Amino acid sequence: MTVTNIQTRRMNVYVTRQIPEPGISMLKAHFGVDVRQAKTPISKPELLEHVGDVDGLLCLLTDPVDAEVIAAGNNLVCISNYAVGFNNIDVRAATERNILVTNTPGVLTDTTADFAFALLLAAARRIVEADAFARASKFNGWDPMLMLGQDVHGKTLGIVGFGKIGQALARRARGFDMRILYYSRTKASDEDEAALAATFTPLERIFAESDFISLHVPLTEQTRHLISHDQLRMMKPTAILVNTSRGPVVDEQALAEALRDGTIAAAGLDVFEDEPEVNPLLASLPNVVLAPHIASASHRTRSLMAKIAAENLIDALAGRRPRFPVNPEALTE
Ligand code: NAP
Ligand code: GLV
Ligand code: GLV
């Protein structure tokens, strides 16, 4: 019997930020692990400094893993993103060097859709404004005219990007008896459309007919500023826009002006064009609910994301196909 020990060197991974357990323990069982302890996103110079001699990188959606960073990763086998979105990574540059990129789809779908619906309800029923009002001791008694908002039940919801999260939002909207229109790059199957009671609709009609519009596309060159002045002008003055996708899908200045001028009624935003900056005009308006990119932030989901991100890296560094490759073509020799 021949025993071959192909792994002579212990592999090393760099983790750009503390992530929930069990992620770090899982990695430590296999690799030398360096976890960056700072509580702010890593800068590009710091990434360049650390990527040079590691076999694996576990990074966040805040981390600019561009072509230069990837080129500096001399031993890099896999970049495991702790997110489903991967617009922070130059996937093409990684593929050119046969470096695998992985992400964490699926486990965060329902948690993110819950939050999109929470933003929709909060913006429609003015919950954040009402909370501030009640805390400020301004509640002087029940008032027939106090804080009137928009009904959600029975209204039309336009979903842009009908993938996992967009479809999960549709399931929630059915419980509110909403009419569901959707637009996506690929039309859903007849069975999925029937099960979700959702109708494939051109974008212009979604803008014109929807009471609520919720964005669930990835950020790509095709979706950058998908919503700008022209699209906002097509919407109803009572329309409410929800964005839990990526900030740059919306022209934020155009949105802020539309909210200020009454072009549309309100918005609920989890993501911003230049995170962590929030457009000052947006932040000054009462008719927008703001959240600091927390749509997937439940204890359970963030822990599951950590597990999957660690598993992806462990599999890739062992030469196995990970569960969630973004660029499986990088696997072919
Ligand atoms: P997904 O299952 O891949 O769904 C994305 C959908 O968008 C797909 O149906 C895709 O079409 C469609 N699409 C892509 N490009 C398009 C275009 N140019 N025009 C119209 N539709 C287009 O992804 P997901 O898991 O639902 O996640 C969606 C996005 O949400 C992620 O990329 C991420 O940026 C964001 N996100 C944010 C948070 C948060 O914390 N706020 C949490 C999770 C996810 P195909 O079917 O043709 O590919
Ligand atoms: C969060 O924004 C994600 O893409 O997972
Ligand atoms: C409101 O509280 C009502 O009873 O109608």
Side-chain angles (χ1 to χ4, degrees), residues 9 41 79 95 110 133 150 164 178 230 235 297 312 317-318 333:
R9 184 176 64 83
I79 301 164
T95 306
D110 286 309
F133 184 89
Q150 314 279 357
K164 288 181 281 299
M178 297 180 91
D230 289 348
M235 295 177 193
N312 281 335
L317 266 55
E333 290 301 294

Side-chain angles (χ1 to χ4, degrees), residues 86-259:
F86 47 82
N87 52 284
N88 58 303
I89 300 172
D90 188 334
V91 177
R92 187 179 303 179
T95 306
E96 276 169 11
R97 291 170 182 268
N98 287 330
I99 297 171
L100 207 53
V101 176
T102 63
N103 69 342
T104 64
V107 284
L108 44 57
T109 298
D110 286 309
T111 301
T112 304
D114 285 351
F115 196 79
F117 211 82
L119 283 177
L120 184 159
L121 284 169
R125 299 302 307 273
R126 306 174 64 178
I127 290 174
V128 176
E129 259 184 286
D131 176 273
F133 184 89
R135 284 172 200 271
S137 305
K138 292 181 181 167
F139 182 31
N140 295 322
W142 194 82
D143 177 347
M145 306 301 279
L146 183 62
M147 291 215 172
L148 307 186
Q150 314 279 357
D151 271 329
V152 172
H153 66 272
K155 292 298 184 74
T156 297
L157 170 63
I159 301 178
V160 180
F162 208 55
K164 288 181 281 299
I165 299 168
Q167 295 191 20
L169 186 73
R171 284 194 285 279
R172 283 148 183 77
R174 289 201 68 190
F176 279 70
D177 297 325
M178 297 180 91
R179 170 182 173 236
I180 300 163
L181 310 179
Y182 80 93
Y183 174 76
S184 209
R185 185 170 59 183
T186 315
K187 188 178 172 299
S189 67
D190 292 347
E191 297 77 47
D192 285 348
E193 285 190 349
L196 296 165
T199 308
F200 186 80
T201 308
L203 266 184
E204 292 69 23
R205 267 192 55 214
I206 294 219
F207 297 144
E209 292 183 24
S210 299
D211 300 299
F212 300 90
I213 294 163
S214 192
L215 307 177
H216 300 284
V217 288
L219 175 60
T220 63
E221 285 317 308
Q222 289 72 46
T223 63
R224 187 177 296 274
H225 283 197
L226 186 69
I227 306 291
S228 190
H229 292 286
D230 289 348
Q231 294 72 27
L232 289 158
R233 271 195 295 267
M234 288 183 219
M235 295 177 193
K236 297 181 181 183
T238 49
I240 294 178
L241 180 70
V242 174
N243 189 10
T244 57
S245 64
R246 281 292 181 269
V249 173
V250 176
D251 176 343
E252 198 166 85
Q253 185 60 25
L255 174 62
E257 290 168 16
L259 290 164

Side-chain angles (χ1 to χ4, degrees), residues 257-333:
E257 290 168 16
L259 290 164
R260 179 196 61 196
D261 300 344
T263 309
I264 68 167
L269 307 175
D270 185 46
V271 288
F272 302 92
E273 212 172 337
D274 189 21
E275 291 180 18
E277 301 301 320
V278 178
N279 178 302
L281 175 56
L282 261 188
S284 75
L285 298 171
N287 51 341
V288 52
V289 177
L290 307 174
H293 205 148
I294 59 165
S296 73
S298 73
H299 291 288
R300 178 171 180 274
T301 289
R302 286 287 168 85
S303 181
L304 287 170
M305 287 166 65
K307 182 167 176 277
I308 288 173
E311 273 171 7
N312 281 335
L313 206 48
I314 292 164
D315 284 339
L317 266 55
R320 293 187 295 268
R321 185 192 170 96
R323 268 172 83 197
F324 300 111
V326 167
N327 59 345
E329 60 277 19
L331 281 167
T332 53
E333 290 301 294

